[in-house]
Amino acid sequence: MYETLRPELITATKKQRRLMEIEPTSVVSTEMFFQNAFPYLEVRRPFILGVRDRIWKPTIAHHFARLLHANTGKLTRVYTQNIDGLTNAVGLPDDKIVSVHGTISKVACENCGERMNFNSFCDEIEEKIKDIY
């Protein structure tokens, strides 16, 4: 993603575009996000909508965790760094899942914490965030 980043397509100031040219990962930095959320949302748009549309499917490892819990009761926790929500999608109880970096399907304002329905959020992304790909 970062190797093919095209800052000239992203809704940003000249200074922000220059920073993305020098350091492409800045597009997903919290500093950039709090200055201007458009770069992050434009780059992540396909991922966000793909989660909603269930483009990605749980793997055998996700299903194994569910079976371990359902058939033996021996599953204590699943720790995941992935934000795609696939661990939740197989039907594990929320109290068995620790999403270290959160999950994209649980949306809340970074400033005030107000929650938003994920499908409503996706509708807003689809309607208001331009597709740069």
Side-chain angles (χ1 to χ4, degrees), residues 5-130:
L5 185 68
R6 296 186 52 203
E8 72 275 9
L9 299 178
I10 294 175
T11 306
T13 65
K14 287 181 183 182
K15 182 178 177 183
Q16 291 167 338
R17 284 191 188 112
R18 182 70 185 129
L19 179 60
M20 286 181 252
E21 289 169 1
I22 296 166
E23 182 52 59
T25 60
S26 68
V27 74
V28 295
S29 72
T30 53
E31 183 179 336
M32 176 83 72
F33 183 83
F34 284 116
Q35 290 175 12
N36 176 4
F38 283 108
Y40 177 85
L41 294 172
E42 289 169 357
V43 166
R44 292 292 192 205
R45 185 180 192 272
F47 174 72
I48 294 166
L49 299 178
V51 169
R52 177 199 62 192
D53 299 338
R54 297 187 175 163
I55 290 174
W56 299 280
K57 305 295 181 205
T59 67
I60 194 168
H62 296 103
H63 290 288
F64 175 76
R66 180 184 49 80
L67 290 172
L68 184 65
H69 171 68
N71 294 351
T72 70
K74 293 185 178 187
L75 180 72
T76 303
R77 272 305 159 277
V78 172
Y79 293 88
T80 180
Q81 295 186 61
N82 298 328
I83 64 170
D84 55 25
L86 293 177
T87 307
N88 304 77
V90 295
L92 279 172
D94 284 345
D95 67 336
K96 296 290 182 186
I97 303 168
V98 177
S99 298
V100 178
H101 300 297
T103 177
I104 196 75
S105 61
K106 294 181 182 175
V107 182
C109 176
E110 287 287 340
N111 289 316
C112 70
E114 183 176 344
R115 293 180 180 260
M116 182 177 196
N117 174 278
F118 182 63
N119 288 324
S120 298
F121 173 70
C122 289
D123 291 344
E124 294 277 324
I125 294 292
E126 198 165 34
E127 180 183 324
K128 297 179 179 176
I129 301 300
K130 73 178 176 182

